[in-house]
Amino acid sequence: MCALEMAVLEIQTNGDTRVSEEAIMRARHSLDDPNMREFILSCLTLNPDKRPTANSLLFHRVLFEVHSLKLLAAHCFINNQYLMPENMVEEKIKELDLNMVMAEIRREGRPGAQWRYSEVSFLELDKFLEDVRNGIYPLMNFAVSRPHALPRALSQPPEDPQKAKTPTPEPFDVETRKVVQMQCNMELNEDKTQWHLTLLLILEDKLHRQLSYDLLPTDNSKDLATELVHYGFIHEDDCEKLANFLENAFHKHRSPPL
């Protein structure tokens, strides 16, 4: 109904205090755009089981948007930034020859168009990456993908405990930024046999770090938090705070709790 009212600007009620079926019918027939009409009529289907889901509507021709390569690249960069040095962009800029041609459009019978690195505003690029990091430009019309999985050290078979005592692996880069906000979500998988944990951490420089993991029956909050410290996902000082946070989440969702 909101989409219909936005499309026709106003539903004429002829002085009635409520919107009648006749007024809705007139508004529906006034829609000229066939795509818009199909979109709205599918939402007005009386049987709720036959109405499209919100996710399927995102792929409708009325709403579907093809994202720019710049936005896709920015999301790829942000999602994998934990694999790169913190100042990688700044260092790469220093190495660039600003007169180098970045892209070129070749045209028959006339000069081509060239785009050089000198035409890029690196301040605007940093601002754009920061906006993407803060969620201002989300990707729509994409199937939900699993975020980065929590790393887990491989364990040896339980029947031979002596072989399970392997040397401690070399630690990863130590995280120096503190966590200022943490959120988690737990949901059962499709066969209702295992819990899936999604953890969102916001660091003090506003970096968003999203991790996911399929919980095992033997998992506990302290070990998970300790592993995140070891692999450089959180600061050592945040280990106990995260362990308590996860413990509360486990108590809330799982029975019996860990």
Side-chain angles (χ1 to χ4, degrees):
M1 285 300 297
C2 291
L4 177 62
E5 191 165 1
M6 291 169 64
V8 300
L9 300 182
E10 183 181 2
I11 299 178
Q12 300 293 335
T13 60
N14 295 330
D16 294 338
T17 57
R18 64 181 184 86
V19 179
S20 63
E21 291 288 340
E22 184 181 357
I24 295 174
M25 188 66 65
R26 286 197 304 268
R28 289 167 54 176
H29 286 300
S30 69
L31 296 172
D32 296 326
D33 188 310
N35 289 330
M36 187 179 297
R37 185 187 305 115
E38 178 190 350
F39 178 89
I40 293 176
L41 292 185
S42 66
C43 296
L44 292 176
T45 303
L46 292 179
N47 187 345
D49 295 331
K50 294 183 179 180
R51 291 182 203 142
T53 63
N55 185 65
S56 65
L57 288 175
L58 288 175
F59 290 88
H60 195 278
R61 291 182 293 272
V62 171
L63 296 181
F64 189 83
E65 176 186 357
V66 178
H67 296 291
S68 68
L69 181 59
K70 176 182 177 181
L71 182 58
L72 293 173
H75 274 274
C76 182
F77 179 83
I78 296 301
N79 290 338
N80 296 280
Q81 196 171 13
Y82 69 100
L83 298 172
M84 312 170 191
E86 190 171 349
N87 59 342
M88 193 197 79
V89 176
E90 181 181 348
E91 293 299 321
K92 286 294 183 183
I93 292 172
K94 293 178 181 178
E95 300 173 3
L96 288 175
D97 178 4
L98 297 183
N99 290 319
M100 186 185 301
V101 175
M102 180 191 304
E104 180 179 7
I105 301 176
R106 297 178 180 178
R107 299 164 176 166
E108 293 186 7
R110 54 179 176 149
Q114 292 184 339
W115 193 23
R116 301 179 185 275
Y117 282 105
S118 58
E119 299 177 61
V120 178
S121 171
F122 293 108
L123 289 177
E124 290 183 6
L125 178 60
D126 279 339
K127 176 64 167 59
F128 181 71
L129 287 173
E130 185 67 22
D131 289 344
V132 173
R133 183 181 292 110
N134 293 332
I136 296 178
Y137 299 108
L139 290 180
M140 305 296 289
N141 311 324
F142 279 83
V144 177
S145 59
R146 282 285 178 86
H148 310 299
L150 295 177
R152 171 158 296 280
L154 295 178
S155 59
Q156 297 297 326
E159 62 271 10
D160 192 354
Q162 294 299 322
K163 291 184 179 180
K165 296 179 180 179
T166 57
T168 303
E170 291 295 321
F172 285 56
D173 291 338
V174 176
E175 178 59 78
T176 59
R177 296 162 294 188
K178 299 289 188 67
V179 175
V180 296
Q181 186 177 345
M182 54 184 69
Q183 300 175 14
C184 78
N185 179 58
M186 292 179 59
E187 54 186 17
L188 285 170
N189 58 13
E190 293 181 359
D191 56 8
K192 308 296 183 183
T193 60
Q194 194 174 28
W195 285 96
H196 179 74
L197 169 69
T198 301
L199 181 64
L200 174 65
L201 304 175
I202 302 178
L203 306 186
E204 55 189 359
D205 64 348
K206 297 184 179 179
L207 173 69
H208 288 55
R209 182 165 282 161
Q210 189 170 345
L211 309 161
S212 70
Y213 178 65
D214 290 323
L215 288 169
L216 301 175
T218 55
D219 285 328
N220 63 73
S221 57
K222 185 175 181 180
D223 287 346
L224 288 176
T226 302
E227 282 196 7
L228 290 180
V229 173
H230 171 76
Y231 287 100
F233 283 102
I234 64 171
H235 193 286
E236 184 179 7
D237 293 348
D238 291 322
C239 182
E240 184 176 356
K241 179 172 68 173
L242 180 60
N244 293 334
F245 178 76
L246 290 174
E247 184 69 22
N248 290 334
F250 292 165
H251 274 286
K252 181 178 177 181
H253 291 91
R254 299 172 67 174
S255 181
L258 293 179

